[in-house]
Amino acid sequence: MESMSKVGGMQSGDGTPEKGDGASESAGTQGTSSSSRQKMLTVTAEIDLIQIVLFVVALVVRLPGLDHPRSVVFDELFFGKFAGHYIQKTFFFDMHPPLGKMIYALVGYWCGYNGKFAFDGIGKEYDASVPVWQMRLLPALSGCLLVPLVYQIILQMGCHQMTGVLGALLIICDNSLHVQSRFMLLESFIQLFCLVSLLSLLKFREKSYSPFSCEWWFWLTLMGITWAWATSIKYGGFFTGLFVFVLVMRDYWRMLSDKTLSDRQLFYHFFARVLMLVIVPVVLYVGVFYVHLSILTKSGPYDANMSSRFQASLEGGLAAITKGQPLEVAYGSQITLRRTHGKPCWLHSHNHTYPRWYDKGRGSSQQQQVTCYSFKDVNNWWLVKDPKSDSLVISSPPKAIRHGDIVQLLHGKTLRFLNSHNVGAAMSPMNQEVSTFIDYNFTNGRVEPHNLWKVDIFNRESDGDVWKIIQSQVRLVHVDSKQALKTSGKQLPEWGFHQLEVVTDALHAQNAAVWNVEEHRYTKSPDEKERDQDLTRAELIPTQPTQLGFFTKFWELQAKMLFSQHDANLDHRYGSSPLEWPLIEKNVAYWASEDTKYQIHLVGNPWIWCSGAAVVIMYCGTLSFYLLRRRRLLFDVSDDMWREFVTAGELLLGTYAANYVPYFVVDRTMFLHHYLPALPFMILLVAVFCEHIVKFVSNISPNYRWPKILVLLLVVLWAVSVLATFTKYLDLCHGKTHLVAEKLQHLQWRESWDFIYPM
């Protein structure tokens, strides 16, 4: 239903101004002139009452009881905690971009939240300082806005208004979308921006006949902005924007054959698209990180994920060029060596030897173990010794070590030299084992040490050829074997305390072979006990940050986020694979009360999800059928219906695949909620496909109304089943229903669903 209101002069049915009886011709002329002047100020407003009603229904369904439960639900554990870190200005590391957390932090800050609540675990009750309702309101509103957006997209594609109503109601009646939008989570934001991006593409195409108009620029710009915002919340939001960008450039490619456009006009079109769909998104994305890094200036518990240089740039962070920490490494230095790339760990040794035999009967060197340890420890300290001198004390003046110099590394606590030899490593037999040397006198002779290492400073062109703490990125090359010291990425078994394996490798040019000095002091006493006490008491945490440029920090953060493997091998009770998502083979437990009688689970509406999976298959089959028939010059549908059908597949099936298929190559633990960005596009396809079936049935039986009525009746019955199922599973959405074992069994649609049964 639509209502149209116009502000302006009254007009008669034929469009001419009305005049009173007996009015003179001059008066009529004046009236016409006055009417023309009024038309210049005409305002036309179109109000779609159905769209408003649908949005109100979404608000009524989604908003009540947002502050229940007033305790931490699922990933609020992380996103709420990170919002507090923004308010406290404390640095944190997360594998997702920061915009979503910044939004929550902004809402919390406006509502007076101090950021001090400790998010210790799921289920912990919020204290009075946390504005729970306000912080959950934003994702709830985003979820509600999906309803009119889906309606608008369907109408913009040329479908019937009732098809738009069907799509909107499916959004309202899906339990997974309902749950996800009621808590401090990120998927609702991504869905909102991705749908706006698709709507902007449709509007932009509609304005293609008036290029460079204000509306044309608006929709083109909005495409770029929403792409940047979706990507800035989660990297999964990147793919919708990428797909839309490909379609826009495909449309431009078709423009090139238009002879009515000059080369200059085509260049302007190309420049506008690159400006708004490449440059603007990149600037916005980088701008989000600029704000992120500008706010988070203080050292925090997540610093260890970043490089030493990055940590040194934070207030209260790791020592760099500060008091008590010499800049240049010299013979007689005491250092800790940190792996520069990947998960942080430090070169480590301890007073335990390798076992006599490795797997499959391979013999070891039985020397002292060398590992990479993920925590700060006194056993991470090494002394840098000159092979030509017996002294361990720093000379005066200190003799700085340069690129190409030969050194020995003496373990600070056990006083054994870092060593490698022609023995296969424990977990990586193709590489050499690394140890600290014990001078065994075996019955068959003495084993000679191989403990000389060459310092290879590979970033010397930018930071100089003197070995500096934090700045210099070095490879330690074993002199005898010409192999570089590296971490293999494998974990040692129980005898190695599950620490990371260290080996040597003939391939030098790899990130795992790059190290930097983090903590540093000069050895000033020749006395072993005094030196040991100095190492034990070493505390090199600075009070002043060092300077590091924004783009240096930005690029490091990007690399850490994109290649982080912090939960790649996590075996989670509710983890699932992409193949399990379309048919909801696994649920996710979001929250349970202490007695487990009240629970919240992420489950989809089985009618919607299974129907959607079926429609995806049916659409592909129908498209193949049409293509084969048309190849034989057999046309089952009109040209208009064919164009509508192909466009629906291109836009909706394409965006669905763009948000779903990439997860098949992701190597980390995944959950059902990773499927949610693709879900609205699947729902759109279901609604549009239903309309196509109705039209197809009407075309093949134009003289009979009953086939169309039968199809419509089936759609209505299906929609009623969707509504009934949505109502049934609301018990798992709000955490307000007392769920006894019998009730949970009634709700268990699949045996693989894992509910928490009360004891």
Side-chain angles (χ1 to χ4, degrees):
M1 183 180 298
E2 296 182 355
S3 171
M4 186 79 74
S5 61
K6 293 187 178 181
V7 180
M10 293 181 60
Q11 295 181 338
S12 64
D14 61 0
T16 58
E18 293 182 349
K19 293 179 283 188
D21 295 338
S24 64
E25 185 176 343
S26 61
T29 304
Q30 292 175 358
T32 303
S33 175
S34 175
S35 177
S36 299
R37 287 195 299 272
Q38 286 180 329
K39 284 182 178 180
M40 293 177 64
L41 301 177
T42 297
V43 176
T44 302
E46 182 176 303
I47 302 174
D48 191 330
L49 295 181
I50 290 181
Q51 181 174 248
I52 293 175
V53 169
L54 289 169
F55 182 58
V56 171
V57 170
L59 293 174
V60 171
V61 172
R62 297 277 174 91
L63 296 189
L66 282 181
D67 56 351
H68 178 83
R70 193 175 172 81
S71 53
V72 179
V73 176
F74 194 54
D75 277 352
E76 288 185 343
L77 176 68
F78 302 107
F79 304 138
K81 180 192 298 182
F82 295 152
H85 283 316
Y86 278 114
I87 295 171
Q88 295 285 314
K89 298 185 177 181
T90 302
F91 179 81
F92 65 88
F93 173 79
D94 183 35
M95 63 186 299
H96 302 302
L99 182 58
K101 283 89 72 176
M102 291 169 65
I103 292 172
Y104 287 127
L106 184 61
V107 173
Y109 178 77
W110 280 346
C111 296
Y113 176 44
N114 58 19
K116 294 182 179 180
F117 177 77
F119 288 79
D120 295 331
I122 296 174
K124 180 176 180 178
E125 187 173 350
Y126 288 116
D127 60 32
S129 69
V130 184
V132 178
W133 188 87
Q134 292 89 337
M135 293 179 74
R136 288 177 178 171
L137 177 63
L138 218 55
L141 289 176
S142 298
C144 292
L145 286 171
L146 302 184
V147 174
L149 275 172
V150 164
Y151 176 83
Q152 278 291 330
I153 288 171
I154 290 174
L155 264 60
Q156 194 66 33
M157 292 178 64
C159 296
H160 193 275
Q161 203 168 26
M162 292 310 298
T163 305
V165 172
L166 175 63
L169 290 176
L170 293 178
I171 293 290
I172 294 173
C173 292
D174 182 70
N175 300 83
S176 62
L177 297 178
H178 183 86
V179 168
Q180 202 72 11
S181 66
R182 288 177 56 84
F183 303 106
M184 286 178 256
L185 305 173
L186 303 181
E187 278 69 26
S188 294
F189 297 142
I190 297 176
Q191 292 166 338
L192 175 66
F193 294 142
C194 289
L195 286 177
V196 171
S197 185
L198 180 59
L199 179 62
S200 301
L201 171 65
L202 293 169
K203 293 284 190 180
F204 177 72
R205 283 179 168 179
E206 185 181 58
K207 301 300 177 183
S208 61
Y209 297 104
S210 56
F212 306 109
S213 63
C214 291
E215 290 181 317
W216 186 91
W217 277 109
F218 173 80
W219 294 114
L220 179 62
T221 305
L222 191 58
M223 270 188 278
I225 291 174
T226 51
W227 187 9
W229 285 350
T231 306
S232 298
I233 289 175
K234 271 191 175 183
Y235 285 125
F238 172 80
F239 297 104
T240 298
L242 177 64
F243 182 75
V244 168
F245 173 75
V246 169
L247 291 181
V248 170
M249 298 312 294
R250 194 275 312 273
D251 293 345
Y252 174 77
W253 176 259
R254 291 174 175 173
M255 286 176 57
L256 296 178
S257 61
D258 187 351
K259 295 296 185 179
T260 64
L261 297 174
S262 65
D263 292 346
R264 177 177 293 184
Q265 289 174 313
L266 289 172
F267 172 77
Y268 288 159
H269 275 280
F270 178 78
F271 177 77
R273 285 158 173 78
V274 171
L275 175 65
M276 293 305 173
L277 297 182
V278 177
I279 298 175
V280 167
V282 168
V283 170
L284 289 175
Y285 178 78
V286 174
V288 167
F289 278 90
Y290 184 83
V291 175
H292 171 73
L293 293 172
S294 298
I295 295 173
L296 304 181
T297 57
K298 298 179 181 179
S299 174
Y302 299 89
D303 295 1
N305 290 284
M306 309 309 295
S307 71
S308 304
R309 292 197 303 166
F310 195 107
Q311 294 179 64
S313 69
L314 301 172
E315 297 175 20
L318 183 71
I321 310 171
T322 57
K323 296 177 182 179
Q325 179 122 321
L327 171 61
E328 297 180 350
V329 179
Y331 292 114
S333 286
Q334 300 170 13
I335 62 173
T336 61
L337 280 165
R338 171 183 161 140
R339 181 174 63 177
T340 301
H341 302 286
K343 186 177 180 180
C345 67
W346 290 263
L347 189 67
H348 175 94
S349 186
H350 41 237
N351 197 15
H352 295 272
T353 60
Y354 290 110
R356 183 174 182 179
W357 303 106
Y358 293 143
D359 291 343
K360 300 180 180 179
R362 288 192 301 113
S364 80
S365 66
Q366 302 179 55
Q367 299 282 344
Q368 183 171 300
Q369 298 173 16
V370 171
T371 66
C372 202
Y373 190 41
S374 299
F375 301 94
K376 296 293 186 71
D377 188 86
V378 68
N379 281 310
N380 297 346
W381 283 93
W382 299 82
L383 281 71
V384 184
K385 180 182 175 298
D386 185 351
K388 300 176 183 178
S389 171
D390 293 331
S391 175
L392 297 176
V393 180
I394 196 77
S395 61
S396 181
K399 184 180 179 181
I401 298 172
R402 297 180 176 275
H403 171 75
D405 284 351
I406 307 298
V407 301
Q408 291 174 306
L409 293 176
L410 184 69
H411 187 238
K413 293 294 289 182
T414 62
L415 298 180
R416 289 171 177 153
F417 286 106
L418 186 69
N419 189 74
S420 186
H421 31 234
N422 190 21
V423 175
M427 311 303 294
S428 308
M430 299 300 293
N431 300 114
Q432 278 191 186
E433 179 192 84
V434 175
S435 63
T436 54
F437 182 74
I438 302 174
D439 193 2
Y440 290 122
N441 189 11
F442 294 107
T443 57
N444 57 351
R446 179 176 177 271
V447 177
E448 293 295 327
H450 302 276
N451 53 28
L452 299 180
W453 300 85
K454 179 181 177 181
V455 176
D456 176 15
I457 305 175
F458 86 97
N459 65 336
R460 59 188 178 278
E461 292 185 2
S462 59
D463 289 277
D465 64 352
V466 175
W467 191 1
K468 301 183 183 71
I469 63 167
I470 296 178
Q471 299 176 25
S472 296
Q473 297 180 5
V474 303
R475 299 187 184 100
L476 294 172
V477 181
H478 190 236
V479 172
D480 292 334
S481 65
K482 312 301 182 187
Q483 298 190 20
L485 186 77
K486 59 163 269 188
T487 55
S488 68
K490 297 177 181 178
Q491 203 170 32
L492 295 172
E494 187 175 355
W495 55 256
F497 306 97
H498 303 290
Q499 296 175 17
L500 299 178
E501 182 186 45
V502 173
V503 299
T504 62
D505 196 319
L507 179 62
H508 296 187
Q510 49 183 312
N511 287 339
V514 180
W515 305 81
N516 65 270
V517 172
E518 191 168 82
E519 291 142 322
H520 178 220
R521 60 190 299 154
Y522 286 153
T523 305
K524 298 179 180 179
S525 172
D527 183 73
E528 181 180 334
K529 289 185 177 180
E530 186 175 342
R531 189 171 61 240
D532 184 71
Q533 290 175 356
D534 287 342
L535 290 175
T536 304
R537 292 195 301 262
E539 182 67 30
L540 297 174
I541 305 301
T543 57
Q544 299 293 327
T546 58
Q547 298 301 316
L548 199 64
F550 163 70
F551 280 104
T552 303
K553 297 169 74 173
F554 171 78
W555 288 118
E556 178 179 336
L557 195 53
Q558 297 306 297
K560 295 284 186 182
M561 291 165 64
L562 288 170
F563 302 108
S564 171
Q565 295 290 324
H566 81 285
D567 62 353
N569 300 315
L570 179 65
D571 185 16
H572 198 283
R573 174 179 176 179
Y574 293 101
S576 56
S577 68
L579 285 175
E580 295 175 301
W581 298 340
L583 299 181
I584 335 175
E585 293 189 25
K586 278 197 174 182
N587 63 307
V588 183
Y590 271 17
W591 173 84
S593 61
E594 291 184 1
D595 58 5
T596 69
K597 293 179 180 179
Y598 301 93
Q599 302 178 29
I600 295 175
H601 290 262
L602 180 70
V603 294
N605 187 318
W607 276 101
I608 295 176
W609 286 51
C610 294
S611 300
V615 165
V616 169
I617 296 171
M618 291 167 60
Y619 179 91
C620 294
T622 305
L623 179 63
S624 300
F625 172 77
Y626 283 160
L627 288 171
L628 290 172
R629 297 272 292 174
R630 293 175 78 86
R631 186 66 177 171
R632 298 285 296 167
L633 301 180
L634 298 172
F635 302 99
D636 301 285
V637 295
S638 64
D639 289 343
D640 288 341
M641 278 187 65
W642 170 248
R643 280 193 296 270
E644 290 174 1
F645 185 77
V646 172
T647 300
E650 177 184 80
L651 294 177
L652 306 181
L653 188 60
T655 46
Y656 169 76
N659 285 279
Y660 177 43
V661 173
Y663 286 104
F664 283 91
V665 297
V666 173
D667 184 21
R668 57 180 292 258
T669 305
M670 293 179 288
F671 301 90
L672 185 63
H673 64 77
H674 288 108
Y675 186 63
L676 296 185
L679 185 61
F681 300 106
M682 184 191 74
I683 289 175
L684 281 163
L685 185 64
V686 169
V688 173
F689 190 76
C690 286
E691 176 170 318
H692 178 78
I693 295 299
V694 172
K695 287 182 177 179
F696 180 79
V697 170
S698 299
N699 284 352
I700 62 175
S701 56
N703 299 324
Y704 300 96
R705 297 186 60 188
W706 67 265
K708 178 181 178 180
I709 294 174
L710 179 60
V711 171
L712 290 173
L713 182 60
L714 290 174
V715 172
V716 170
L717 290 174
W718 173 75
V720 171
S721 300
V722 166
L723 178 59
T725 306
F726 170 69
T727 306
K728 172 183 175 181
Y729 286 106
L730 278 179
D731 291 339
L732 295 173
C733 298
H734 294 162
K736 295 182 178 180
T737 304
H738 187 180
L739 297 174
V740 296
E742 294 78 10
K743 180 71 172 178
L744 287 172
Q745 289 174 355
H746 175 67
L747 294 173
Q748 187 140 359
W749 181 65
R750 280 187 173 275
E751 290 185 3
S752 54
W753 285 10
D754 190 0
F755 294 147
I756 305 170
Y757 282 86
M759 299 299 293

